[in-house]
């Protein structure tokens, strides 16, 4: 059974940095495309970032590319999202996801995801 468990969210101030973590179990981790989505209050879930199984390929939503970095540690079955210069518009529940396919980091659509974590809330205050 696949489990994705996020951590690292919380209340931060604009301009702060944060690292979100996701612990994965029940998957062949190094074969899995992993990523992050987020859902701002009152809005739909949106793609944030993805990383290939061996970490050689990444993909970002254009709106976050300059401030977000996705990475992974296959020895620990962990995936991370480093965010710098947080802004109020980054306030959202952040979800760790596993891509349905192992050969593509194009997981921008909801139907490209086969497993979701429960999410971690990031709130950015001015």
């Amino acid at each position: 059974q696949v489990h994705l468990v996020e951590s690292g969210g919380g209340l931060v101030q604009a301009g702060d940095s944060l690292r979100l973590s996701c612990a994965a179990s029940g998957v062949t981790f190094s074969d899995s495309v992993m990523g992050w989505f987020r859902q701002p209050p009152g809005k739909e879930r949106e793609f944030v970032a993805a990383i290939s199984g061996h970490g050689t390929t990444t993909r970002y939503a254009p709106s976050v590319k300059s401030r977000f970095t996705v990475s992974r540690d296959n020895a620990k079955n962990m995936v991370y999202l480093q965010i710098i210069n947080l802004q109020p518009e980054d306030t959202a529940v952040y979800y760790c996801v596993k891509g349905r396919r192992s050969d593509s980091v194009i997981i921008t659509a909801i139907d490209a995801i086969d497993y979701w974590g429960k999410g971690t809330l990031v709130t950015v205050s001015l």
Side-chain angles (χ1 to χ4, degrees):
Q1 191 171 5
V2 178
H3 289 286
L4 303 176
V5 180
E6 304 92 340
S7 61
L11 176 63
V12 298
Q13 291 188 324
D16 285 351
S17 298
L18 198 64
R19 189 177 81 158
L20 305 181
S21 300
C22 171
S25 60
V27 297
T28 305
F29 191 69
S30 61
D31 288 344
S32 302
V33 170
M34 302 296 296
W36 295 88
F37 274 63
R38 69 182 180 182
Q39 186 166 18
K43 297 184 179 181
E44 295 184 352
R45 289 187 190 187
E46 60 184 13
F47 168 76
V48 173
I51 186 167
S52 61
H54 292 285
T56 53
T57 304
T58 57
R59 186 179 181 93
Y60 296 93
S63 61
V64 307
K65 191 171 185 178
S66 63
R67 297 185 296 113
F68 287 37
T69 302
V70 61
S71 62
R72 65 192 296 159
D73 184 340
N74 285 355
K76 297 180 179 179
N77 281 18
M78 297 290 294
V79 62
Y80 306 100
L81 186 68
Q82 178 75 41
I83 311 171
I84 63 172
N85 192 21
L86 278 150
Q87 299 299 310
E89 55 265 33
D90 296 319
T91 294
V93 177
Y94 284 75
Y95 297 92
C96 179
V97 301
K98 175 187 169 298
R100 191 177 301 278
R101 293 176 54 178
S102 62
D103 61 348
S104 174
V105 293
I106 303 175
I107 57 169
T108 55
I110 299 266
D111 62 3
I113 306 304
D114 57 3
Y115 292 100
W116 297 79
K118 292 185 178 180
T120 186
L121 176 63
V122 174
T123 303
V124 184
S125 65
L126 286 171

